[in-house]
Amino acid sequence: MLRRLRPVMAAAAAWLLLTTSLAPHPEAQVEVRGPVQITAGAPAEIRQWTPLLEGMLRGGELRRRPPRPDRVMSVRSHDRADQYHRGVRVFGGDVVLQMESAQVLSIFGTLHRGVDLDTAPVIDEAGALAAVERRGAEPHLDAPELVVLPRDAGAYLLAWRIRATLPGDIRQFFVDARTGAVLLDFSDVKSQVPIIGTGTGVLGDQKKLSVRRAVNGQYVAEDGRRPPTLRTYDMQGNITRTVDFLSGRVNLNPATELAADADNNWTDVMAVDAHVYSGWTYDFLFKRFNRRGLDNGDVRIVSLVHPARREDFSTPLGSQWPLFFANAAYFGSGVVAYGVGLPPGVTAGGRTWDYMSGALDIVAHELAHGVTDYTSDLIYLNEPGALNEAFSDIVGTSVEFFYQPAGTGPLRADYLLGEDVVRPNGIRSMADPGMFGHPDHYAIRYTGTADNGGVHINSGIANHAFYLAIEGGTNRTSGMAVLGVGGVNRQQIENVFYRAFTELLPSSATFSIARAATIQAARDLYGVNSSPERAVTEAWTAVGVH
Amino acid sequence: MLVLALGASAADAQPRRPRAPREPRVFVTVGAGALTGTEATDRVEWLEHVEIAVANVSYGSGARRLVGGSVGVRLWRQLGAGVAFTSASHEGAAGVEGRIPHPFHYEQPRDISGETGALSRSETGLHLQVLYIVPTTGRVGLMLSAGPSRISARQDTVTRVQFTEAFPFDTAAFQRADTRALSASAPGFNAGAEATYMFTRSLGVVGLVRFTRASIALMRPDGDRLSLDAGGVQAGAAVRVAF
Ligand SMILES: [Zn+2]
């Protein structure tokens, strides 16, 4: 009977063996196998680790790299040692000792305990290289290195580490030195890639920011992903410094003056919105008009935030620079400064003023002045000045409709300007300029000399024409009705005004020239008697411009 | 173990009968064939542009090359016990469909799709078998088998997807996948039938069909698991030596 049962018992034994050898031994792993993190800064902690490290150094389990002098504290040096198992480096097993003379000041590292591995490879270098080549990689960067590769749960495998190139990439492959299988592969390109962060805007909304990591480890408001340089500087409320920069007396230092954040979760709401909305405006110009930034040549965009402190509003210096409070301004060469708003309890025009960069239409408005500067260069006075302002309002509103859902209230696209930060209702209305006392018809235009001849006042006439050409409706002053192209076709009217204002208008354009140029642009783009041409023509007629 | 123990005690309990001298007691079989593949799908997530990127990976179902062998012994009348070993392997691309977050905007992911390079999957199985030898005459024989299995699987798995993107970032393109080999084992079962044609008393050929199955959970370092149906239909031809 025994003889007959022998195969059965053998099978059962094999079964047991297989089962037990495959099952994990958690208690064993926890005690003696696996990675151990070392973070020793206090003398007692250092003393606790020293005997082990010394023993490993003597036994060749740790091998020193040449010490590196400390560039900041010259009396110190940093000893690095790599872990070896039977002469084979343990990948990722190393310790760093901060030394002063012969004294250890700190130890940080990861050591792998309980490694027990035969270090004779079954697969040779050529076999490992062939495995990598089968993945389409060219493994000719440097010689394969035999390493002990830590796996999950305290397991270790002997592997060939091979760096190899693929189109657009350099990768590390780990090839099992027993089976030739690829155990792990990942990209080894350490590029200075721009980083995406998160931030909170002026209205408490969450958005993504395109930033960079600076050498000091801080994240700085410099966009490395868009084609132009896009920087946001934190002027830290220093009016003098801001004025010195704007007047060309000093340059700003990106290393120290860019808006910055330690953890890349940005909380400076003013910087967040200035930086993000500048990028969105650049993207809009590209996507809508195929325009490469303000000059169509990717000129830099520089945003200045915190040009003053709100509490300095009433100081002598602050009152010299109202621009840095309840305003925002384009200063040429791609530079925009955003006002910080007004102190609590202070209103202007019966409205409260928040950080001006918090309104997408304001940011786009200022940058559109840059587009005008590099194109028609409309003179900032009287009628051309009003057209200059109107074009900025038109772009500001178009950008809102591009990114935000139509509606009323915060973060909604509408025909009010600045309504997200100047509460209530903002500073101008394209749908109803009269709401702010601005003319909606040429017959009632402002003819005085204030505001450069009413550039922010008479802009209402062109603004309203733009509004009517899209939405249609009746002009309150003339009573004339316009059939607009409709909100879904707003892109047509945006294209018409963009073409007219950037390609066709001279710097001294009048409202009448603007009418003719937009009608011409509508014909160029959509054909004679097209609905955009009709809508634009009706709109100008309704606002009294012939 | 239960089945085998019962088999053994049943054999003990029966009085031994005189057996025809032509009936072999032990047979050793070695052969090769194919194992039908099983598909596995996986969902991999990682952080990209401060949002979650997702890739749905489908690992191919191509047939795997199979080699194996078994030892069986007739224990009592038509009943016997055996142990079989199988090893199967396969290399094939995995299909990847992913969604990569936009760098500038929340909730505006870009779709990507592509194929990985050749990923390997291998399975080894140890199968214990209760054998039933169907009474036949002549050179042709038939044997049925069933029992528990232990199947180990090793699969190259996708850990994340590399992609290319450029301003204005409204599209992204699949570039390649980062992979990591995972392995695990699990208990399962086997059932099959073997037809033999014996040229001589001790040498013959075998055609066999066997179904094996084990549900294996491959654990990723992040604690997620990839469920794999290991095994499948095995079909093969083999040489048998009987004693
Ligand atoms: Zn303006």
Side-chain angles (χ1 to χ4, degrees):
Chain A
M1 211 58 235
L2 198 62
R3 241 185 94 215
R4 186 182 302 173
L5 277 177
R6 212 171 272 155
V8 178
M9 288 169 65
W15 175 254
L16 265 175
L17 193 68
L18 193 73
T19 309
T20 49
S21 68
L22 287 166
H25 298 267
E27 68 285 355
Q29 287 161 16
V30 170
E31 293 305 317
V32 296
R33 294 198 67 161
V36 180
Q37 311 286 341
I38 305 174
T39 51
E45 295 169 329
I46 292 167
R47 275 196 300 277
Q48 181 194 332
W49 285 103
T50 309
L52 174 75
L53 298 183
E54 282 175 347
M56 289 179 76
L57 278 166
R58 273 195 306 274
E61 284 178 90
L62 269 180
R63 297 186 189 173
R64 276 206 175 91
R65 290 187 224 165
R68 294 196 306 192
D70 190 322
R71 304 241 175 253
V72 178
M73 305 175 72
S74 57
V75 292
R76 296 193 183 169
S77 69
H78 300 278
D79 274 11
R80 285 174 185 272
D82 294 310
Q83 186 181 1
Y84 281 75
H85 173 66
R86 293 179 191 156
V88 175
R89 186 167 75 92
V90 179
F91 184 75
D94 56 6
V95 290
V96 188
L97 282 72
Q98 185 180 196
M99 309 288 294
E100 187 167 325
S101 306
Q103 198 189 348
V104 181
L105 297 178
S106 67
I107 310 172
F108 300 103
T110 302
L111 290 177
H112 292 273
R113 308 298 311 278
V115 182
D116 185 13
L117 204 61
D118 181 357
T119 53
V122 176
I123 304 290
D124 63 4
E125 276 188 36
L129 291 169
V132 169
E133 279 168 351
R134 278 199 296 278
R135 291 284 183 101
E138 291 186 36
H140 307 303
L141 288 174
D142 35 39
E145 181 195 11
L146 194 64
V147 295
V148 172
L149 179 66
R151 302 289 283 169
D152 318 318
Y156 297 92
L157 288 174
L158 191 66
W160 289 102
R161 185 181 70 88
I162 296 171
R163 291 177 73 237
T165 51
L166 284 109
D169 203 3
I170 295 173
R171 297 179 78 76
Q172 288 214 43
F173 291 84
F174 291 84
V175 178
D176 193 318
R178 305 233 171 281
T179 65
V182 175
L183 296 167
L184 187 65
D185 81 291
F186 55 87
S187 179
D188 198 31
V189 179
K190 290 138 189 149
S191 54
Q192 295 290 323
V193 281
I195 289 173
I196 301 301
T198 56
T200 305
V202 171
L203 298 175
D205 51 323
Q206 291 296 307
K207 45 201 25 145
K208 295 186 180 185
L209 288 84
S210 178
V211 299
R212 275 189 190 281
R213 186 152 197 185
V215 227
N216 62 5
Q218 286 246 313
Y219 298 89
V220 294
E222 179 178 305
D223 185 341
R225 285 188 174 257
R226 291 181 172 90
T229 305
L230 220 140
R231 288 175 172 155
T232 300
Y233 287 94
D234 181 357
M235 302 313 294
Q236 305 198 4
N238 189 335
I239 295 176
T240 310
R241 177 87 181 148
T242 307
V243 172
D244 281 349
F245 169 67
L246 292 174
S247 52
R249 283 194 288 272
V250 296
N251 287 318
L252 297 179
N253 183 355
T256 54
E257 292 179 280
L258 281 173
D261 190 90
D263 65 0
N264 210 20
N265 185 6
W266 294 63
T267 50
D268 179 348
V269 295
M270 191 183 190
V272 166
D273 278 345
H275 197 64
V276 169
Y277 289 159
S278 300
W280 288 13
T281 302
Y282 178 89
D283 297 349
F284 169 83
L285 293 172
F286 178 78
K287 291 183 188 179
R288 187 64 107 208
F289 307 127
N290 198 26
R291 183 178 188 85
R292 294 262 176 191
L294 309 187
D295 67 342
N296 206 15
D298 287 331
V299 68
R300 66 169 187 174
I301 294 176
V302 174
S303 305
L304 306 185
V305 296
H306 304 294
R309 295 182 303 163
R310 280 181 184 170
E311 55 265 41
D312 293 337
F313 178 63
S314 309
T315 65
L317 184 59
S319 48
Q320 278 179 42
W321 292 97
L323 218 51
F324 297 160
F325 297 89
N327 216 328
Y330 179 74
F331 287 88
S333 306
V335 178
V336 181
Y338 296 96
V340 292
L342 296 178
V346 180
T347 58
R351 295 176 166 84
T352 62
W353 297 67
D354 208 337
Y355 297 112
M356 297 301 279
S357 62
L360 176 57
D361 54 3
I362 289 178
V363 173
H365 172 107
E366 298 309 336
L367 291 171
H369 280 311
V371 174
T372 299
D373 265 17
Y374 286 105
T375 54
S376 62
D377 200 13
L378 286 161
I379 298 162
Y380 205 57
L381 191 67
N382 302 328
E383 284 197 28
L387 290 170
N388 189 323
E389 271 301 312
F391 181 65
S392 278
D393 282 353
I394 285 166
V395 171
T397 295
S398 299
V399 171
E400 261 197 22
F401 276 98
F402 192 80
Y403 290 105
Q404 298 176 346
T408 53
L411 304 171
R412 292 288 179 274
D414 56 22
Y415 289 94
L416 295 170
L417 273 298
E419 74 285 357
D420 280 1
V421 292
V422 183
R423 293 182 280 265
N425 295 333
I427 50 174
R428 287 186 288 278
S429 169
M430 302 174 88
D432 180 13
M435 194 173 146
F436 294 85
H438 302 149
D440 66 355
H441 194 278
Y442 194 67
I444 56 170
R445 69 191 181 277
Y446 175 75
T447 53
T449 55
D451 183 33
N452 283 18
V455 295
H456 295 94
I457 300 168
N458 290 332
S459 57
I461 298 165
N463 279 349
H464 192 52
F466 174 80
Y467 165 83
L468 288 173
I470 295 173
E471 302 291 343
T474 303
N475 178 270
R476 287 165 199 253
T477 304
S478 69
M480 292 175 75
V482 175
L483 184 63
V485 295
V488 293
N489 298 314
R490 71 175 57 256
Q491 187 175 351
Q492 294 175 343
I493 303 303
E494 289 173 11
N495 285 336
V496 164
F497 274 75
Y498 173 80
R499 178 173 174 80
F501 276 69
T502 59
E503 306 284 2
L504 306 180
L505 285 190
S507 59
S508 56
T510 59
F511 279 101
S512 185
I513 292 174
R515 171 194 164 107
T518 50
I519 291 170
Q520 178 63 46
R523 287 177 180 162
D524 293 348
L525 295 172
Y526 301 103
V528 178
N529 295 326
S530 59
S531 63
E533 187 202 332
R534 180 194 36 72
V536 168
T537 307
E538 284 182 12
W540 283 114
T541 303
V543 301
V545 174
H546 298 281
Chain B
M1 287 310 295
L2 194 64
V3 175
L4 282 171
L6 282 176
S9 60
D12 276 338
Q14 294 298 323
R16 185 187 287 199
R17 283 188 182 189
R19 189 176 296 130
R22 281 181 58 79
E23 288 184 345
R25 289 242 331 280
V26 176
F27 22 89
V28 176
T29 311
V30 177
L35 166 68
T36 59
T38 51
E39 276 188 35
T41 56
D42 193 15
R43 182 186 162 90
V44 185
E45 295 184 348
W46 69 98
L47 205 59
E48 196 74 68
H49 302 329
V50 300
E51 273 185 286
I52 303 290
V54 176
N56 292 303
V57 186
S58 41
Y59 298 100
S61 63
R64 298 157 215 287
R65 297 181 305 274
L66 177 78
V67 293
S70 65
V71 179
V73 59
R74 182 195 293 264
L75 296 173
W76 178 70
R77 292 186 178 172
Q78 306 308 122
L79 290 179
V83 57
F85 172 79
T86 53
S87 172
S89 63
H90 173 72
E91 279 210 343
V96 177
E97 304 274 338
R99 287 200 313 279
I100 308 293
H102 195 287
F104 302 153
H105 302 282
Y106 281 109
E107 291 169 16
Q108 289 184 24
R110 290 86 43 89
D111 290 337
I112 58 164
S113 66
E115 276 203 341
T116 66
L119 301 183
S120 83
R121 164 140 159 217
S122 59
E123 290 179 19
T124 55
L126 185 68
H127 316 284
L128 298 192
Q129 299 169 316
V130 173
L131 305 174
Y132 176 72
I133 298 137
V134 179
T136 53
T137 55
R139 293 175 179 272
V140 176
L142 183 64
M143 187 162 74
L144 305 178
S145 62
S149 299
R150 181 95 202 172
I151 299 180
S152 303
R154 182 191 169 288
Q155 167 84 51
D156 288 342
T157 62
V158 171
T159 53
R160 69 184 285 167
V161 173
Q162 304 288 333
F163 57 91
T164 55
E165 59 178 4
F167 182 83
F169 303 107
D170 291 336
T171 59
F174 175 90
Q175 194 180 29
R176 68 179 60 86
D178 289 359
T179 66
R180 181 184 195 96
L182 298 179
S183 45
S185 66
F189 68 92
N190 68 87
E194 301 175 15
T196 50
Y197 181 87
M198 300 302 288
F199 300 112
T200 68
R201 184 186 175 277
S202 60
L203 186 67
V205 289
V206 179
L208 69 86
V209 177
R210 186 188 291 140
F211 183 74
T212 64
R213 176 64 81 231
S215 291
I216 293 180
L218 298 173
M219 299 301 292
R220 279 200 283 266
D222 62 8
D224 278 358
R225 62 176 60 204
L226 165 58
S227 299
L228 206 64
D229 275 337
V233 177
Q234 303 176 351
V239 176
R240 170 162 295 168
V241 181
F243 308 99

